[in-house]
Amino acid sequence: MTKEIRISLIGQPNVGKSCLFSRLTGINVVSSNYPGTTVEFNEGTITVNKKTFRIYDLPGTYSLSANSNDERMVIDTIRSQKSDVFIIVADATNPEPSLVLIFEILELGLPLIIAFNKYDLAIKKYDIDIDKLSKTFGIPFIPVSSKTGEGINDLLNTISTGGARTSNYKVPYDGHIVECVKKIQNTNPTIKWGTAIKFLEDLDVSDANVDSDIKISIKNMQARFMKIHGETMNIHLARDRYGNAHIIATETIKRKTCKQTHTEKFSEMTVNPLTGVPILILVLTLTLTCTIFVGGYLAELLDKVYSATVEVIFSNLQLTPVEKTIVNGTSNGIRAVLGLVIPYIMIFYIILGALEDTGYMPRAVVLLDRIMHKIGLHGNGFIPMMVGFGCNVPAILATRSIKSKRERIILCSLICMAVPCSAQLAIIAGVTGRFAGLIWSLVIVSTLIIIGACIGLFLNKRLPYEPSYLAIELPELEFPKFLNIIRKMWVRTSDFFKLAAPLLILGSIIIELLLQYNLLIRIVQPMSWITVSLLGLPAITIIAFITGIIRKEMAYGMLAVLAEAQSVNLTDFMSPHQFVVFGMVMATYFPCLAAIIALYHEFGIKHMTLITTSSIIVALTIGSSLSGILSLC
C-alpha cells in the first residue's frame, strides 16, 4: 500500500493560501482578498500519479514568534514532525515579507517547496528570476496562481516526484549571534542551526532535549547581547532577516519601467483620508441600497412566480383540515425562505464577495486605523467586523488573528451588538427598507454606528490597557472573478438551506397548528409586556424574536409566516414605524445560538454572559426609546 504523503501549507495572511488549498483539494474553503481568513485547521485528500496527498491548510502567520493561537498551531505542526512536505505560499507581488518567513522555516531543516503565488499579477509589474531564487535557496520556487489555476499541475508534479528539498541557506546574521549559535551546538551537537536560532528567540520549535545548563547559558547570552547592542536578540534577528530579504528581492526581482496605472492611482485614493472616506461611505451606501432595491425586486418576482405555480397546486389539493393546516404551514415556510435568502442574503454575499476579491478590504483597514484607535482597536479590527456582516460566528473566530485579548473582547462586543449579520441586514433591508423606506434603513445603520462607538469608548476606558500593533499587507487591486464570487456565496448560504430552511418550514407548520387549536395566545400573552408595552409591536412578534435566537434568518421568515397565518399582508400586519422598531431591535438583540457557543468557546461563561446580557439591555433600551419617539410623530 502506497504511503500517504502529508503536506502542510504555511504562509502569511493574504498570500492566497486558502485559495490554493481549495484549488489543490476542491474543498470549499471560503477565501478572500484580505488577511485573517483562515482561523482554524483545514485538511483535504487528493491522489496524484497514484500517490495520496493529505494536505493541511494551516492558519496564516506572519512569523514563528508564537504570539497568537494561530502561530502556535503552526509551530506545533512543525514540532510534531508529522508532515512530510511543507509548502510555503509566498506572495510574488509583495515578496519581502514572505521571504522573511521562508528564512525562519528553511533554517529548521524542513523539506520545502515554495509556491510563488499571484505570479500572474506579479509579472505585469516585475521581471522575476525564478531560477536564481531557486538556486539561492536550494529549494524549488514554483510560479502559481491560485485564482487562475496556472502552475498548479507543476506544483503537484514537483511534490509527486519528490521535489521538496531541505536548504543549507543561512541568513548572514550578526557575528555575535552566529557565535552564540555555535556555542549552543558545541554544547549539544544534536541541536540544528535553526533550532538554536529559535532558542535565542525564546522559542522551542523542536523536540530536542535541552538541559537546564544550556537554558541558563542562553539567558546569559541574551543578557550580554542586550548589554552590547542595546536591543534584544529578537529585534536584531528580525532586522537581519528583513535586510537580507530586501537584498535578495532587489537582486532577483526588478520593477518594470512603466507609468503609474489607473489601478495604482485608485489604490492610493482609497487610503488617502480626503478621498478614501467618501469612497468608503459610497461603497457602504451602494451595498445597502443595492441589497434593498435589487433584493426587493427579486422578492416580489419570486413571490409572483411562487403564487402562480406552487401555491396554485397546493390550493387545488383535496385535504382534511389537519392536512390543510400542515400544507399551509409548509407553503408559508417555503414562501418565507424564497422571500429572504435568494433576494437579500444571497445578494449581500455576492456584493461582499466582490469587495473581498478586489482587495479593497485591507485599504479600508488602513483608512480606519486612526479612527478605531479611539475605541481601543486597530484598523485590522475592521476585518472581523466585515466578516460579521456575513455571519457573526466566523467573525468571532476571526478575532483570533488579533493578539490582544482586550481588543478581542471589545471587538466581539461590537460584533454582537453593532454589526448586523447578513440575516439582520436582510431584515433592515427587506423589512425596514422595503416597508418603511430607505431613509429609515440608513437611520438604523447610523444608530448602530453610534451604539458601536459608545460601546467601544466605554470598554476602552474600563478594560486594562494592553500594547499591540497593526501589521497588514495591501494586496493588488484586481477585478473579481464571477465564478469565485458565486462559489463563495453558495458556500456561505448552503448552511441556511441545510439547517435553517427546514427549521423555518417546521416552525411555520407548528404556528399553523397552534393557531388552529387556539394555543398560540397562551405562549404570546405572558410576554406581551415586552412586545406591546415596551416596543409597541404586535404581541405575536415575540415568536419571531424567539426563533431569531436559533438563527437570525428565521426571524424575518417567521414574521412573514405569522402574517400569512393570519391571512394578512405584511404591510397590514405592522405599520411602517413598527417595521422600523422591529428592524432596530433585531439588529442589536441577543446573538444567535451559534454565536453564543462561539463566545463561550473563545472567552468562557463570564464574557459570554456579559455580552449577551448587554445586547438584550441595549436592544430593549434603543427599541423602546425609538418606539416612544415614533409614537409622537
Side-chain angles (χ1 to χ4, degrees):
M1 183 177 178
T2 305
K3 179 187 174 184
E4 186 177 71
I5 300 174
R6 294 161 301 184
I7 302 164
S8 290
L9 297 183
I10 301 178
Q12 296 186 321
N14 200 42
V15 297
K17 181 171 55 60
S18 292
C19 192
L20 179 63
F21 176 75
S22 295
R23 279 280 180 184
L24 292 172
T25 64
I27 288 181
N28 292 321
V29 175
V30 175
S31 58
S32 312
N33 198 7
Y34 57 79
T37 301
T38 306
V39 294
E40 292 193 319
F41 194 93
N42 299 299
E43 65 177 274
T45 304
I46 58 171
T47 301
V48 179
N49 297 332
K50 298 183 179 180
K51 295 181 180 179
T52 301
F53 298 161
R54 182 169 294 278
I55 303 177
Y56 305 102
D57 176 25
L58 302 183
T61 177
Y62 287 104
S63 68
L64 299 183
S65 58
N67 286 325
S68 70
N69 292 333
D70 292 348
E71 291 166 355
R72 278 191 288 273
M73 182 183 288
V74 174
I75 293 168
D76 289 342
T77 302
I78 292 172
R79 292 185 65 184
S80 68
Q81 299 183 357
K82 292 182 179 179
S83 294
D84 303 300
V85 177
F86 289 86
I87 298 177
I88 303 179
V89 185
D91 185 353
T93 65
N94 186 28
E96 290 186 26
S98 293
L99 289 176
V100 172
L101 182 60
I102 290 172
F103 292 151
E104 288 193 78
I105 297 174
L106 66 80
E107 286 177 337
L108 300 175
L110 304 173
L112 301 178
I113 297 172
I114 309 301
F116 216 37
N117 197 26
K118 304 183 185 180
Y119 194 74
D120 56 323
L121 299 175
I123 57 176
K124 295 177 182 179
K125 298 171 63 176
Y126 304 105
D127 290 316
I128 303 174
D129 193 336
I130 291 291
D131 291 336
K132 189 171 183 178
L133 281 168
S134 297
K135 290 177 181 177
T136 299
F137 290 101
I139 51 180
F141 274 66
I142 311 298
V144 298
S145 171
S146 57
K147 287 204 170 179
T148 66
E150 298 173 52
I152 299 297
N153 288 334
D154 292 337
L155 179 61
L156 289 172
N157 288 333
T158 302
I159 302 169
S160 178
T161 56
R165 295 284 183 269
T166 56
S167 174
N168 294 320
Y169 183 85
K170 294 179 180 178
V171 175
Y173 292 116
D174 179 276
H176 290 103
I177 292 176
V178 175
E179 183 182 336
C180 291
V181 172
K182 289 180 178 178
K183 285 182 179 179
I184 294 172
Q185 290 183 310
N186 288 336
T187 306
N188 186 343
T190 64
I191 298 176
K192 297 178 181 179
W193 172 274
T195 304
I197 290 288
K198 288 303 172 191
F199 283 151
L200 294 174
E201 294 182 276
D202 287 326
L203 184 64
D204 186 0
V205 295
S206 75
D207 56 358
N209 293 321
V210 181
D211 57 41
S212 57
D213 290 340
I214 293 181
K215 293 180 179 179
I216 294 171
S217 178
I218 290 172
K219 291 296 182 185
N220 292 333
M221 292 176 190
Q222 292 170 333
R224 188 162 54 251
F225 188 90
M226 180 71 181
K227 185 176 181 179
I228 295 171
H229 293 270
E231 63 182 3
T232 63
M233 279 191 176
N234 301 49
I235 294 175
H236 204 95
L237 284 164
R239 183 183 295 111
D240 287 346
R241 290 181 187 128
Y242 274 96
N244 195 50
H246 179 71
I247 292 171
I248 292 176
T250 303
E251 291 175 348
T252 57
I253 302 171
K254 309 290 184 183
R255 190 176 185 90
K256 294 178 180 179
T257 55
C258 55
K259 294 182 179 180
Q260 189 179 36
T261 65
H262 293 300
T263 301
E264 290 170 336
K265 291 178 181 178
F266 181 73
S267 177
E268 291 181 1
M269 290 175 63
T270 59
V271 295
N272 186 324
L274 290 177
T275 52
V277 172
I279 290 173
L280 178 62
I281 293 173
L282 179 63
V283 168
L284 296 177
T285 303
L286 287 175
T287 299
L288 184 61
T289 304
C290 186
T291 303
I292 290 173
F293 289 108
V294 176
Y297 173 77
L298 288 176
E300 290 182 5
L301 180 63
L302 287 170
D303 187 67
K304 289 178 181 178
V305 172
Y306 181 78
S307 298
T309 55
V310 180
E311 195 171 56
V312 172
I313 296 172
F314 283 157
S315 63
N316 291 330
L317 295 175
Q318 299 297 320
L319 304 170
T320 65
V322 174
E323 290 174 337
K324 187 175 181 181
T325 299
I326 294 173
V327 168
N328 287 340
T330 303
S331 178
N332 293 342
I334 294 172
R335 186 191 293 273
V337 170
L338 293 176
L340 172 68
V341 181
I342 296 176
Y344 296 107
I345 295 180
M346 283 187 169
I347 291 295
F348 173 76
Y349 275 137
I350 288 172
I351 297 171
L352 179 62
L355 289 175
E356 290 172 344
D357 283 4
T358 59
Y360 175 73
M361 295 298 198
R363 287 159 174 80
V365 167
V366 174
L367 183 68
L368 294 172
D369 188 47
R370 289 187 179 181
I371 297 174
M372 295 189 74
H373 283 179
K374 303 292 184 182
I375 57 174
L377 298 172
H378 283 292
N380 56 352
F382 182 70
I383 296 298
M385 290 172 69
M386 284 305 299
V387 175
F389 284 115
C391 178
N392 284 173
V393 177
I396 292 168
L397 299 179
T399 63
R400 293 178 185 174
S401 61
I402 296 172
K403 296 177 174 61
S404 167
K405 183 179 179 180
R406 175 184 187 273
E407 289 188 28
R408 291 188 67 200
I409 292 172
I410 294 174
L411 191 51
C412 285
S413 300
L414 293 177
I415 288 169
C416 291
M417 287 183 269
V419 177
C421 67
S422 59
Q424 291 167 308
L425 281 171
I427 291 169
I428 295 171
V431 177
T432 305
R434 185 179 177 189
F435 299 116
L438 174 61
I439 296 298
W440 285 111
S441 291
L442 294 175
V443 167
I444 292 178
V445 172
S446 301
T447 305
L448 290 175
I449 293 172
I450 295 170
I451 292 171
C454 292
I455 293 170
L457 290 170
F458 175 76
L459 293 178
N460 189 30
K461 290 184 177 180
R462 296 286 297 177
L463 296 177
Y465 174 74
E466 290 180 10
S468 61
Y469 63 92
L470 172 65
I472 191 168
E473 303 294 337
L474 292 182
E476 295 284 327
L477 282 176
E478 52 185 294
F479 196 78
K481 295 188 179 300
F482 178 74
L483 290 179
N484 191 45
I485 294 171
I486 297 299
R487 181 185 65 82
K488 292 200 295 184
M489 178 273 294
W490 175 248
V491 170
R492 285 165 162 164
T493 55
S494 58
D495 275 351
F496 178 88
F497 291 104
K498 295 174 185 176
L499 301 174
L503 287 174
L504 186 57
I505 293 172
L506 177 62
S508 178
I509 294 171
I510 293 172
I511 293 295
E512 285 286 337
L513 290 171
L514 290 174
L515 283 171
Q516 179 74 19
Y517 295 100
N518 297 317
L519 296 174
L520 190 61
I521 191 66
R522 297 183 182 180
I523 299 173
V524 171
Q525 193 62 42
M527 305 185 76
S528 62
W529 65 273
I530 297 175
T531 49
V532 178
S533 303
L534 273 182
L535 303 176
L537 299 174
I540 204 169
T541 52
I542 193 66
I543 302 296
F545 289 131
I546 292 172
T547 54
I549 296 173
I550 302 172
R551 283 184 72 100
K552 294 297 182 186
E553 296 97 327
M554 295 175 63
Y556 171 46
M558 189 55 66
L559 190 70
V561 166
L562 292 169
E564 288 286 340
Q566 298 182 76
S567 302
V568 297
N569 294 323
L570 268 175
T571 50
D572 299 322
F573 184 64
M574 292 198 303
S575 69
H577 285 173
Q578 288 176 320
F579 282 125
V580 175
V581 174
F582 180 81
M584 187 72 254
V585 174
M586 280 303 305
T588 52
Y589 99 114
F590 216 76
C592 68
L593 187 60
I596 293 170
I597 294 170
L599 285 171
Y600 173 76
H601 183 266
E602 295 297 311
F603 301 105
I605 187 76
K606 177 183 175 182
H607 291 297
M608 179 206 75
T609 304
L610 285 173
I611 291 173
T612 53
T613 304
S614 299
S615 71
I616 296 172
I617 294 171
V618 168
L620 294 180
T621 301
I622 299 296
S624 59
S625 300
L626 185 60
S627 177
I629 293 170
L630 291 174
S631 65
L632 300 175
C633 297

